[in-house]
Amino acid sequence: MKKFFTSFAIALFACIGAQAQSIVINKTDGTSVTYQASEISSINFQPAQQNSIAGSYTGKDSVNVGKMFPYTSAAEVTYQVTENSDGTVNLLVPEVEYDQTVMGTLYLGSYSIKNIPYDETQKAYVKAYKNDNVVFHFKSVDANGKTTIDKDYTFDKDVCQVIISKDADGVLTVSNTYQMGSMPFVIYGTFRGK
């Protein structure tokens, strides 16, 4: 692509030098812009910019524990994505409640994953975040209303990875894989929201 633009620029300047005429640029909105050849010192083609992914997205959250126990959040939740000046993004995951699981009602506290870089090959923001030592609160209440777990955990396992993408319809998808403490199962989280 770069080679094409370089060839185009050389051909354009050759044409300018030979004819010393005006240049008309026809835009996709139907309008035109005209420049005199003598007004142009250079032409630079900028790389295509990605559509902004920043914003608040609301939808249902779901987890699949060990790929055997799927659960969906009790209510819709709102994820937030902010952009950094270096092209990375930050993800704020809200508190989520899951009812009627094998452990009772589960509450996963809010947490942030920061500086998630864009991966051109996956067309998504991707980060293995084990070394970020992200801390979150986890609470479990059994069917009798007794709290069985109420403590902080750190996402420090090798499986911890987040993938964030946004489709043409504006739907944000967050795939978040993690494991808690000494619990044996990997948790596969998926959020889709607008």
Side-chain angles (χ1 to χ4, degrees), residues 98-123:
Y98 298 97
D99 294 339
Q100 300 178 358
T101 76
V102 292
M103 294 176 62
T105 300
L106 308 180
Y107 302 89
L108 276 70
S110 179
Y111 59 91
S112 293
I113 303 171
K114 297 182 178 178
N115 304 313
I116 306 165
Y118 187 75
D119 184 324
E120 185 65 39
T121 60
Q122 297 189 56
K123 304 296 183 194

Short mmCIF file of all heavy atoms in Angstrom, two decimals, residues 98-123:
data_model
loop_
_atom_site.label_atom_id
_atom_site.label_comp_id
_atom_site.label_asym_id
_atom_site.label_seq_id
_atom_site.Cartn_x
_atom_site.Cartn_y
_atom_site.Cartn_z
N TYR A 98 -24.22 -12.92 40.08
CA TYR A 98 -24.72 -14.14 39.43
C TYR A 98 -25.55 -14.91 40.45
O TYR A 98 -25.05 -15.29 41.51
CB TYR A 98 -23.56 -15.02 38.95
CG TYR A 98 -22.69 -14.35 37.91
CD1 TYR A 98 -21.50 -13.72 38.27
CD2 TYR A 98 -23.06 -14.34 36.57
CE1 TYR A 98 -20.71 -13.10 37.32
CE2 TYR A 98 -22.27 -13.71 35.62
CZ TYR A 98 -21.09 -13.09 36.00
OH TYR A 98 -20.31 -12.48 35.07
N ASP A 99 -26.82 -15.15 40.11
CA ASP A 99 -27.72 -15.86 41.02
C ASP A 99 -27.80 -17.34 40.67
O ASP A 99 -27.53 -17.74 39.53
CB ASP A 99 -29.13 -15.26 40.94
CG ASP A 99 -29.18 -13.83 41.44
OD1 ASP A 99 -28.28 -13.44 42.21
OD2 ASP A 99 -30.11 -13.10 41.05
N GLN A 100 -28.18 -18.14 41.67
CA GLN A 100 -28.48 -19.57 41.50
C GLN A 100 -27.34 -20.35 40.85
O GLN A 100 -27.55 -21.15 39.93
CB GLN A 100 -29.77 -19.75 40.70
CG GLN A 100 -30.97 -19.12 41.38
CD GLN A 100 -32.25 -19.26 40.58
OE1 GLN A 100 -32.26 -19.78 39.47
NE2 GLN A 100 -33.34 -18.78 41.14
N THR A 101 -26.12 -20.13 41.34
CA THR A 101 -24.99 -20.94 40.89
C THR A 101 -24.84 -22.11 41.85
O THR A 101 -25.52 -22.17 42.88
CB THR A 101 -23.68 -20.11 40.87
OG1 THR A 101 -23.21 -19.96 42.21
CG2 THR A 101 -23.89 -18.74 40.23
N VAL A 102 -23.93 -23.02 41.55
CA VAL A 102 -23.72 -24.16 42.45
C VAL A 102 -23.17 -23.71 43.80
O VAL A 102 -23.26 -24.43 44.78
CB VAL A 102 -22.77 -25.21 41.82
CG1 VAL A 102 -23.43 -25.87 40.64
CG2 VAL A 102 -21.43 -24.60 41.46
N MET A 103 -22.62 -22.49 43.86
CA MET A 103 -22.10 -21.94 45.12
C MET A 103 -23.07 -20.93 45.72
O MET A 103 -22.74 -20.28 46.71
CB MET A 103 -20.74 -21.26 44.88
CG MET A 103 -19.64 -22.22 44.48
SD MET A 103 -18.11 -21.35 44.09
CE MET A 103 -17.71 -20.58 45.65
N GLY A 104 -24.24 -20.76 45.14
CA GLY A 104 -25.20 -19.77 45.63
C GLY A 104 -25.14 -18.51 44.78
O GLY A 104 -24.92 -18.57 43.57
N THR A 105 -25.34 -17.37 45.44
CA THR A 105 -25.27 -16.09 44.74
C THR A 105 -23.83 -15.57 44.83
O THR A 105 -23.26 -15.51 45.91
CB THR A 105 -26.23 -15.07 45.37
OG1 THR A 105 -27.57 -15.59 45.29
CG2 THR A 105 -26.17 -13.74 44.64
N LEU A 106 -23.29 -15.21 43.67
CA LEU A 106 -21.90 -14.75 43.61
C LEU A 106 -21.85 -13.27 43.25
O LEU A 106 -22.63 -12.79 42.42
CB LEU A 106 -21.12 -15.54 42.55
CG LEU A 106 -21.19 -17.07 42.62
CD1 LEU A 106 -20.36 -17.67 41.50
CD2 LEU A 106 -20.70 -17.55 43.98
N TYR A 107 -20.93 -12.58 43.90
CA TYR A 107 -20.70 -11.16 43.61
C TYR A 107 -19.23 -10.99 43.26
O TYR A 107 -18.36 -11.27 44.08
CB TYR A 107 -21.02 -10.30 44.83
CG TYR A 107 -22.44 -10.45 45.34
CD1 TYR A 107 -22.75 -11.42 46.29
CD2 TYR A 107 -23.45 -9.61 44.87
CE1 TYR A 107 -24.05 -11.56 46.76
CE2 TYR A 107 -24.76 -9.75 45.35
CZ TYR A 107 -25.04 -10.72 46.29
OH TYR A 107 -26.34 -10.86 46.75
N LEU A 108 -18.96 -10.53 42.04
CA LEU A 108 -17.59 -10.21 41.62
C LEU A 108 -17.46 -8.70 41.62
O LEU A 108 -18.20 -8.01 40.91
CB LEU A 108 -17.30 -10.76 40.22
CG LEU A 108 -16.85 -12.22 40.15
CD1 LEU A 108 -17.99 -13.16 40.49
CD2 LEU A 108 -16.31 -12.54 38.77
N GLY A 109 -16.52 -8.20 42.42
CA GLY A 109 -16.35 -6.77 42.56
C GLY A 109 -15.77 -6.11 41.33
O GLY A 109 -15.20 -6.76 40.45
N SER A 110 -15.88 -4.79 41.28
CA SER A 110 -15.37 -4.00 40.16
C SER A 110 -13.84 -3.97 40.16
O SER A 110 -13.21 -4.02 41.22
CB SER A 110 -15.91 -2.57 40.28
OG SER A 110 -15.44 -1.76 39.24
N TYR A 111 -13.25 -3.89 38.97
CA TYR A 111 -11.80 -3.79 38.84
C TYR A 111 -11.46 -3.20 37.48
O TYR A 111 -12.30 -3.13 36.59
CB TYR A 111 -11.12 -5.16 39.02
CG TYR A 111 -11.56 -6.21 38.03
CD1 TYR A 111 -10.90 -6.39 36.83
CD2 TYR A 111 -12.66 -7.03 38.33
CE1 TYR A 111 -11.32 -7.35 35.92
CE2 TYR A 111 -13.08 -8.00 37.42
CZ TYR A 111 -12.41 -8.15 36.23
OH TYR A 111 -12.83 -9.10 35.33
N SER A 112 -10.20 -2.79 37.33
CA SER A 112 -9.74 -2.20 36.07
C SER A 112 -8.55 -2.98 35.52
O SER A 112 -7.71 -3.44 36.27
CB SER A 112 -9.30 -0.75 36.27
OG SER A 112 -10.39 0.06 36.59
N ILE A 113 -8.51 -3.09 34.20
CA ILE A 113 -7.34 -3.61 33.49
C ILE A 113 -6.84 -2.46 32.63
O ILE A 113 -7.59 -1.93 31.80
CB ILE A 113 -7.68 -4.83 32.62
CG1 ILE A 113 -8.32 -5.93 33.47
CG2 ILE A 113 -6.42 -5.36 31.92
CD1 ILE A 113 -8.90 -7.08 32.68
N LYS A 114 -5.60 -2.05 32.85
CA LYS A 114 -5.09 -0.84 32.20
C LYS A 114 -4.09 -1.14 31.09
O LYS A 114 -3.48 -2.19 31.05
CB LYS A 114 -4.44 0.07 33.25
CG LYS A 114 -5.44 0.55 34.29
CD LYS A 114 -4.81 1.48 35.28
CE LYS A 114 -5.86 1.97 36.27
NZ LYS A 114 -5.28 2.86 37.29
N ASN A 115 -3.95 -0.15 30.20
CA ASN A 115 -2.94 -0.16 29.13
C ASN A 115 -3.01 -1.42 28.26
O ASN A 115 -2.03 -2.13 28.08
CB ASN A 115 -1.54 -0.01 29.74
CG ASN A 115 -1.44 1.24 30.58
OD1 ASN A 115 -1.86 2.31 30.17
ND2 ASN A 115 -0.90 1.11 31.79
N ILE A 116 -4.19 -1.68 27.72
CA ILE A 116 -4.41 -2.84 26.85
C ILE A 116 -4.07 -2.42 25.42
O ILE A 116 -4.74 -1.55 24.85
CB ILE A 116 -5.86 -3.33 26.95
CG1 ILE A 116 -6.23 -3.60 28.42
CG2 ILE A 116 -6.08 -4.57 26.09
CD1 ILE A 116 -7.72 -3.73 28.66
N PRO A 117 -3.05 -3.02 24.79
CA PRO A 117 -2.64 -2.59 23.45
C PRO A 117 -3.51 -3.20 22.35
O PRO A 117 -4.14 -4.24 22.53
CB PRO A 117 -1.20 -3.11 23.35
CG PRO A 117 -1.19 -4.33 24.22
CD PRO A 117 -2.16 -4.05 25.34
N TYR A 118 -3.48 -2.53 21.19
CA TYR A 118 -4.21 -3.04 20.03
C TYR A 118 -3.36 -4.07 19.31
O TYR A 118 -2.17 -3.87 19.08
CB TYR A 118 -4.56 -1.89 19.08
CG TYR A 118 -5.47 -2.32 17.95
CD1 TYR A 118 -6.82 -2.54 18.18
CD2 TYR A 118 -4.98 -2.49 16.66
CE1 TYR A 118 -7.66 -2.94 17.15
CE2 TYR A 118 -5.81 -2.89 15.63
CZ TYR A 118 -7.16 -3.10 15.89
OH TYR A 118 -7.98 -3.51 14.87
N ASP A 119 -3.97 -5.19 18.95
CA ASP A 119 -3.30 -6.26 18.20
C ASP A 119 -3.88 -6.27 16.79
O ASP A 119 -5.03 -6.65 16.59
CB ASP A 119 -3.54 -7.61 18.90
CG ASP A 119 -2.79 -8.75 18.25
OD1 ASP A 119 -2.66 -8.77 17.01
OD2 ASP A 119 -2.34 -9.65 18.98
N GLU A 120 -3.07 -5.84 15.84
CA GLU A 120 -3.53 -5.72 14.45
C GLU A 120 -3.96 -7.07 13.88
O GLU A 120 -4.91 -7.16 13.10
CB GLU A 120 -2.42 -5.11 13.60
CG GLU A 120 -2.82 -4.84 12.16
CD GLU A 120 -3.90 -3.78 12.03
OE1 GLU A 120 -3.88 -2.78 12.77
OE2 GLU A 120 -4.80 -3.98 11.18
N THR A 121 -3.27 -8.16 14.25
CA THR A 121 -3.60 -9.48 13.70
C THR A 121 -4.97 -9.96 14.19
O THR A 121 -5.68 -10.64 13.46
CB THR A 121 -2.53 -10.53 14.07
OG1 THR A 121 -2.44 -10.63 15.50
CG2 THR A 121 -1.18 -10.14 13.50
N GLN A 122 -5.35 -9.61 15.42
CA GLN A 122 -6.65 -10.03 15.95
C GLN A 122 -7.73 -8.97 15.79
O GLN A 122 -8.90 -9.22 16.10
CB GLN A 122 -6.52 -10.40 17.44
CG GLN A 122 -5.59 -11.57 17.69
CD GLN A 122 -5.65 -12.04 19.13
OE1 GLN A 122 -6.71 -12.38 19.63
NE2 GLN A 122 -4.50 -12.07 19.79
N LYS A 123 -7.32 -7.77 15.31
CA LYS A 123 -8.26 -6.65 15.17
C LYS A 123 -8.99 -6.41 16.49
O LYS A 123 -10.21 -6.19 16.53
CB LYS A 123 -9.28 -6.91 14.05
CG LYS A 123 -8.66 -7.19 12.70
CD LYS A 123 -7.89 -6.01 12.17
CE LYS A 123 -7.34 -6.28 10.78
NZ LYS A 123 -6.33 -5.32 10.37
#
